[in-house]
Amino acid sequence: MAKGTRLAGATLLVTGGGSGLGRRMALGAARRGSRVVIWDVDAAAGAAVCDEIRAAGGQADAQYVDVTDRDAVKAAAAEAGTVDVVVNNAGVVSGQRLLDATEDAIERTMNVNVLALYWVTRAFLGGMVERRRGTVVTVASAAGLVGVARQTDYSASKFAAVGFNESLRAELRADRADVNTLVVCPFYINTGMFDGVRTRWPLLLPILEEEDVAARVLDAIEAGHRKLVLPPLVNLLPVLRVLPVGVFDRLMDVLGVNRTMDHFTGRAPGRTGGHSG
Ligand SMILES: NC(=O)c1ccc[n+]([C@@H]2O[C@H](COP(=O)([O-])OP(=O)(O)OC[C@H]3O[C@@H](n4cnc5c(N)ncnc54)[C@H](O)[C@@H]3O)[C@@H](O)[C@H]2O)c1
């Protein structure tokens, strides 16, 4: 059984902590007694969350960090000090068909959602292994378990995130390192990142609320869980892949998975964040 990390008295760093799920995890961890370090490319949003935590009597610091900038990550990590929990949460999506997405948007998705996992995790993992304590959280997505139309960039990046977590978990087990990994694969969350998406079966595949997902992630960190898939039905989707491709595709159609992005309008304006490519 993997070891959980108690959040009271720990330092938790969250990338993309200025908005959406990251903000909720930052606020929740602070309420559970963590010192929180917020990294975001939206400096104002990160600072606002930091102020919110301090106003409530919690401990927080915010740093402007573009997680795709390797040197900036190293410099900010040196400033952040000892970190017990790293939450790789920053993410972006183009949400365009393959031929409609710009090359820059595709590259950005891969840089933020995939390569940054390496830069940020490498900056803290050595310290965690040495102290025999900590958790590396990778916020992937249900789109990292099944490919979805209009998500060739996003789905592929989240498949990579799931693979990154699984390989790292295997590596840490082989090394008998006392550091846990947790992969998080939620269906759509009501953060504004996927404005306009629809679900055909709201009872089976609901659009999740950011506060609920954040609380579940923090519980999983403390309990030492290694995987969090929400809602539970999503666990079944990759299992269906053993079926012939035609049957699998048909089932995805029945579940409405490939039509979810039909009404996607981009990241909602007027909500925090706004760097979804
Ligand atoms: N919203 C959903 O439906 C959903 C579903 C499954 C998984 N996720 C994943 O959850 C995570 C959080 O998503 P969200 O919905 O809260 O989105 P969001 O847009 O509200 O928040 C993302 C945050 O990441 C920051 N960010 C973007 N690029 C960055 C960079 N280069 N460096 C540092 N920070 C950067 C943004 O400024 C923003 O504050 C993402 O990894 C996303 O892929 C979201």
Side-chain angles (χ1 to χ4, degrees), residues 125-150:
L125 186 62
M128 290 180 175
V129 170
E130 218 171 274
R131 292 189 303 279
R132 305 187 67 79
R133 166 181 162 81
T135 301
V136 177
V137 182
T138 302
V139 179
S141 168
L145 303 174
V146 284
V148 178
R150 277 182 72 177

Side-chain angles (χ1 to χ4, degrees), residues 8-217:
T11 295
L12 176 143
L13 182 141
V14 54
T15 67
S19 81
L21 180 62
R23 171 175 169 269
R24 294 286 182 177
M25 290 189 286
L27 296 174
R31 275 198 301 272
R32 294 181 192 212
S34 297
R35 175 177 86 95
V36 175
V37 181
I38 297 147
W39 281 6
D40 207 299
V41 77
D42 184 336
V49 177
C50 182
D51 290 347
E52 213 175 330
I53 291 173
R54 288 181 182 171
Q59 273 184 286
D61 293 295
Q63 292 170 277
Y64 166 83
V65 183
D66 179 345
V67 291
T68 68
D69 180 339
R70 287 179 279 175
D71 292 336
V73 165
K74 283 179 196 150
E79 252 182 65
T82 300
V83 167
D84 306 295
V85 179
V86 175
V87 185
N88 286 300
N89 166 77
V92 293
V93 60
S94 81
Q96 303 297 317
R97 286 179 182 79
L98 183 62
L99 294 179
D100 297 333
T102 65
E103 291 172 354
D104 283 350
I106 294 166
E107 196 167 280
R108 181 171 164 71
T109 303
M110 292 302 163
N111 277 329
V112 178
N113 297 7
V114 184
L115 288 177
L117 299 174
Y118 294 81
W119 317 143
V120 175
T121 306
R122 280 163 55 98
F124 297 103
L125 186 62
M128 290 180 175
V129 170
E130 218 171 274
R131 292 189 303 279
R132 305 187 67 79
R133 166 181 162 81
T135 301
V136 177
V137 182
T138 302
V139 179
S141 168
L145 303 174
V146 284
V148 178
R150 277 182 72 177
Q151 287 195 1
T152 54
D153 64 333
Y154 187 74
S155 243
S157 75
K158 294 300 187 180
F159 268 74
V162 170
F164 169 82
N165 171 83
E166 204 163 294
S167 288
L168 178 61
R169 187 175 77 221
E171 201 168 291
L172 292 170
R173 282 184 66 229
D175 293 347
R176 296 180 189 281
D178 240 344
V179 173
N180 195 23
T181 61
L182 168 67
V183 68
V184 182
C185 299
F187 191 58
Y188 295 110
I189 314 167
N190 187 17
T191 64
M193 182 183 188
F194 281 97
D195 218 33
V197 295
R198 294 188 189 164
T199 178
R200 180 181 288 172
W201 305 101
L203 289 180
L204 285 176
L205 290 171
I207 308 268
L208 306 160
E209 291 303 324
E210 56 185 40
E211 203 163 357
D212 297 338
V213 178
R216 294 289 299 273
V217 175

